Amino acid sequence: MRQKTSKEEFARLVREHAAEVISFAQRLLADRAEAEEVAQDAFVRAYRQLSSFSGDSSLLTWVQRIAYHEAIDRLRRRRPRMADISELPLAVADEDLSTDREERIQLLEEAVDHLPTDDQLLLHLYYYEERPLRDIAYIMDAEPNTLSARLYRIRKRLLHMIKLKENE
């Protein structure tokens, strides 16, 4: 394949998926301009490392993995580590919640906003985008079983946070 053709194909990939990669990065960074920079850096890095793409995933998933690592690096450089609430006791049964459905959804959204960015991304990819754990594991550089266990712990943590809010 001629180099010009591969450049044209990569430019097409960028045109077709830039919005997805920017949106993906913005979930981690919240700032649109910074997400655009991360997406641009990810595409440039992907182009430079195109020969190392093994085809284990889609090209988009591979670029999102690169964007994920770029975004995480930026987050580590700019903000102090957030407190982790994983030490809280989690012995709360679903039946113990007394709020109605709308209140519960609002409490859930508020609780999700207090989770570490990485956990928020995992929830978003799994529940909202309905991505398979295999793809999420590739993007986040983790094992699918590890992410499955992490999802379980996050759900328990969210349930506990909702219960605490209810009792305030």
Side-chain angles (χ1 to χ4, degrees):
M1 179 181 296
R2 297 184 343 244
Q3 185 177 9
K4 184 176 181 185
T5 305
S6 67
K7 283 183 183 180
E8 290 168 356
E9 289 174 1
F10 197 79
R12 182 180 52 78
L13 171 82
V14 172
R15 280 191 307 275
E16 290 177 4
H17 297 293
E20 283 178 87
V21 176
I22 291 168
S23 175
F24 175 82
Q26 193 170 358
R27 275 186 221 95
L28 285 165
L29 300 167
D31 180 70
R32 173 79 179 183
E34 194 171 18
E36 289 172 355
E37 288 177 24
V38 164
Q40 182 178 3
D41 292 347
F43 277 116
V44 168
R45 192 166 151 206
Y47 183 75
R48 288 183 181 149
Q49 298 176 355
L50 199 52
S51 62
S52 70
F53 176 66
S54 62
D56 292 345
S57 66
S58 71
L59 201 52
L60 174 60
T61 300
W62 184 62
V63 172
Q64 285 178 317
R65 177 183 179 156
I66 294 169
Y68 169 77
H69 287 286
E70 292 279 338
I72 293 299
D73 285 346
R74 283 179 183 246
L75 286 171
R76 285 185 183 135
R77 286 191 304 260
R78 79 171 187 204
R79 98 166 69 134
R81 190 168 165 85
M82 295 172 57
D84 188 2
I85 60 167
S86 62
E87 316 297 49
L88 295 174
L90 298 173
V92 178
D94 195 35
E95 305 83 52
D96 292 340
L97 294 174
S98 61
T99 56
D100 68 14
R101 182 173 164 72
E102 288 179 23
E103 284 181 86
R104 195 171 183 197
I105 290 171
Q106 183 179 355
L107 289 173
L108 177 62
E109 289 172 351
E110 290 172 10
V112 168
D113 287 343
H114 288 90
L115 291 174
T117 308
D118 233 18
D119 290 348
Q120 290 179 24
L121 177 66
L122 176 56
L123 289 173
H124 183 86
L125 290 173
Y126 188 74
Y127 289 107
Y128 294 104
E129 290 189 16
E130 297 179 349
R131 301 282 292 266
L133 277 176
R134 181 187 75 249
D135 286 358
I136 300 169
Y138 183 78
I139 290 168
M140 298 181 81
D141 200 18
E143 291 296 319
N145 290 341
T146 302
L147 293 180
S148 179
R150 200 162 136 201
L151 281 167
Y152 174 79
R153 288 191 308 272
I154 292 169
R155 286 191 300 266
K156 295 292 273 184
R157 200 174 322 151
L158 289 171
L159 185 62
H160 183 72
M161 291 168 75
I162 291 169
K163 183 64 177 169
L164 288 175
K165 281 287 193 181
E166 280 186 325
N167 293 329
E168 285 183 352

